Amino acid sequence: MKTTIIGGNGFIGSHLIQHLKLIGEEYYAPDRHDRSIFTKPLGNVIYCAGVTSDFRSRPFDTVKAHVSDLAELLENADFNSFLYLSSTRIYIHQSNNSTGTVDAFITIDPNDTEELFNLTKLTGESLCLSIRRPNVRIARLSNVCGDDFQSNNFIYSILKDAIYKGKITLYSSLDSSKDYISVDDVVALLLKISKKGKSKLYNVASGIKISNSEWVDTISKITGCSVDIVPNAKKISFPTIDIGGIKEEFHYVPKNCLEMTEDLISYLKRERN
């Protein structure tokens, strides 16, 4: 059965397509404006469409991608299974000493415009859960490491600064930390969840937090760049993400994203040249 990738031009979607090509599996990656998706069987749908680091400047696109377009597909499309990509960012307000579990109670402040991303992702999740179809699932993705250098997310911005400027400037403290997962791990897990996932909701993460200090130490050793920290840099630290579900069901063993640093730097240097 074919896999339909919604958002195939994005980072995750394009890597899913590359992998499906490599293993010789049928896939379909329609353009976002292609209305024919409502006239044919879509097989196993993986909904990768979304707005990430630029959600603040694109509020209407964010709502459309995370909620409106999703609703139209869920209501009208013909699919065998449907996997909606959400985010572990929704755990941001939990205590750093707690664990981000799929059944955690999530708190949101609707008066804070920074919450638009979380609110729309959770609305998309709620919509998926309200359908009560066992073949509609949710994957909360952690911070994905790979060749996504068009992104301005943290790891990519400091890698570009190290290569292009010879200096990393940190706006969050050295002891800030997040969970990171390799894009190869993400692709493998999403395809497994899409085809045979037994649960409705999964954390797709490594379960390992990496601090800013570990990142900049590794990058500076390889590149020789300097590191500057702005005064009163804020500590940003997420809870540890629980990955018991994917470890038990898919025997998942995460890669250490710090070990990808040298390859990412080499890739970025090639792209610059």
Side-chain angles (χ1 to χ4, degrees):
M1 183 172 291
K2 70 183 173 188
T3 299
T4 294
I5 308 297
I6 306 296
N9 291 326
F11 178 51
I12 302 299
S14 62
H15 276 269
L16 282 165
I17 291 170
Q18 288 174 20
H19 182 77
L20 291 166
K21 282 182 180 178
L22 185 65
I23 63 177
E25 286 196 10
E26 183 183 2
Y27 72 91
Y28 173 45
D31 181 85
R32 59 179 295 188
H33 303 296
D34 186 352
R35 303 299 296 177
S36 69
I37 59 176
F38 298 105
T39 64
K40 63 182 71 174
L42 301 181
N44 298 313
V45 176
I46 303 180
Y47 190 90
C48 306
V51 180
T52 53
S53 59
D54 53 348
F55 74 89
R56 298 169 186 85
S57 61
R58 298 171 57 197
F60 296 108
D61 289 338
T62 301
V63 174
K64 192 170 187 297
H66 299 173
V67 183
S68 306
D69 290 349
L70 170 70
E72 188 175 18
L73 274 170
L74 287 171
E75 183 177 13
N76 300 308
D78 177 8
F79 54 84
N80 181 64
S81 72
F82 196 104
L83 179 59
Y84 174 63
L85 301 196
S86 185
S87 171
T88 59
R89 194 178 189 277
I90 64 169
Y91 299 123
I92 191 169
H93 296 304
Q94 284 193 262
S95 165
N96 188 43
N97 297 321
S98 65
T99 300
T101 60
V102 293
D103 58 355
F105 183 80
I106 307 298
T107 58
I108 298 288
D109 179 4
N111 294 309
D112 183 354
T113 56
E114 286 287 306
E115 298 280 23
L116 178 66
F117 180 88
N118 290 342
L119 281 166
T120 53
K121 281 296 188 185
L122 286 169
T123 302
E125 287 191 16
S126 183
L127 186 59
C128 289
L129 294 171
S130 70
I131 295 173
R132 301 187 184 280
R133 287 174 58 172
N135 58 347
V136 177
R137 308 179 183 96
I138 300 157
R140 291 175 177 169
L141 259 63
S142 186
N143 302 279
V144 183
C145 271
D147 54 345
D148 188 20
F149 289 105
Q150 293 184 5
S151 167
N152 289 317
N153 286 337
F154 174 74
I155 184 60
Y156 304 110
S157 65
I158 64 172
L159 281 167
K160 286 184 281 190
D161 284 350
I163 299 301
Y164 297 150
K165 301 177 182 178
K167 178 181 179 180
I168 293 173
T169 300
L170 286 181
Y171 295 90
S172 52
S173 65
L174 284 172
D175 58 348
S176 295
S177 60
K178 297 179 183 177
D179 182 292
Y180 295 87
I181 183 172
S182 80
V183 68
D184 291 339
D185 282 358
V186 167
V187 166
L189 286 166
L190 292 182
L191 289 172
K192 289 175 181 177
I193 293 169
S194 172
K195 294 174 183 176
K196 55 186 179 182
K198 296 176 182 177
S199 300
K200 293 284 289 182
L201 182 56
Y202 293 86
N203 282 330
V204 176
S206 69
I208 303 166
K209 292 204 292 184
I210 301 176
S211 68
N212 286 359
S213 177
E214 291 174 287
W215 277 119
V216 297
D217 284 350
T218 303
I219 294 169
S220 61
K221 284 177 183 176
I222 298 171
T223 65
C225 72
S226 61
V227 180
D228 186 34
I229 307 167
V230 300
N232 302 315
K234 185 179 179 181
K235 180 178 179 179
I236 301 173
S237 190
F238 284 69
T240 301
I241 308 300
D242 174 54
I243 60 168
I246 53 175
K247 288 179 75 173
E248 180 179 350
E249 192 170 332
F250 304 114
H251 309 291
Y252 169 58
V253 179
K255 296 176 183 175
N256 187 330
C257 287
L258 278 176
E259 296 174 0
M260 299 172 60
T261 307
E262 193 160 1
D263 287 340
L264 291 173
I265 289 170
S266 296
Y267 177 90
L268 187 54
K269 286 180 176 179
R270 289 196 303 272
E271 287 294 299
R272 181 185 61 174
N273 295 332

